[in-house]
Amino acid sequence: MLRALASRATKVASPLARSPLNARPMSTLKDSYENIIVSTPAPGVALLTLNRPKALNALCDALLDDLIHAANHFDKSKECGAIVITGSEKAFAAGADIKEMSSRKLAMMCDIMIAGDSAKFGQPEINLGVIPGCGGTQRLVRAVGKSKAMEMCLTGNMIGAEQAERDGLVCRVVPADGLVDEAVKMGAKIASKSQVAAKMAKETVNAAYELNLAEGLRFERRMFHALFATEDQKEGMKAFIEKRDAKFVHK
């Protein structure tokens, strides 16, 4: 059982490819969706629950459409600072629905993953005579390294939550019954920070995947210096000196 936490998609211009969500106009949130449940459990936090229990939340086109539509709305909303994606008690998502073999990319990639202590992870596509799609091979190597990625992709073996944390696949393992609460708590903490700084932090960390060290350091320096022109930087520094909580305006 996995819970994935995603901060708002980056909207700061950069040399990186911009998020697919950023290219879309803001969508109007529907009253209800067929394949997801939408709620706002804490200030600044949206909770999107995958809701195809009979198919273990397998990623069909209809579910992806619902997820992208809702995520786009919250991504563009000034009131939302973090999006939490969760599944059911049995599964976060069982991968692509083999009835459709959907090859579409999940447009909103999660920044932080939190796992319940009963979670299992794997790349079982080899058992179907295919390979992981939707970036499964490329992102896995970056997360756990070549050797572990090869083992998972070539054997189809599953690993537990503790192993996933040791391998760097997830950031934290918590008791399964408190998983959503923990993810929402983290989301609320992220949402309480300066969203200008949060976006730049995300952009800069993601740049490390695309740039060499020298280029990455230059990019980081530009982002760091740019933040000194923001109202939030001035408020944050002032609040620190005055020993109080900062009141960010996200500008």
Side-chain angles (χ1 to χ4, degrees), residues 10 14 26-27 85 114 150 161 175 203 208-209 213 216 226:
T10 304
S14 79
M26 183 176 182
S27 58
I85 305 175
I114 304 173
M150 281 290 192
E203 190 88 3
Y209 285 108
L213 181 58

Side-chain angles (χ1 to χ4, degrees), residues 75-92:
D75 177 69
K76 302 294 185 183
S77 171
K78 294 180 180 180
E79 285 72 41
C80 183
I83 301 171
V84 176
I85 305 175
T86 184
S88 64
E89 292 300 314
K90 291 185 178 181
F92 170 68

Side-chain angles (χ1 to χ4, degrees), residues 36-78:
I36 64 172
I37 299 171
V38 179
S39 61
T40 51
V45 180
L47 177 62
L48 308 182
T49 303
L50 308 186
N51 190 36
R52 291 189 72 208
K54 293 183 179 180
L56 295 179
N57 295 327
L59 300 177
C60 66
D61 285 349
L63 186 151
L64 290 173
D65 286 342
D66 284 351
L67 187 61
I68 293 169
H69 187 276
N72 171 262
H73 171 82
F74 289 112
D75 177 69
K76 302 294 185 183
S77 171
K78 294 180 180 180

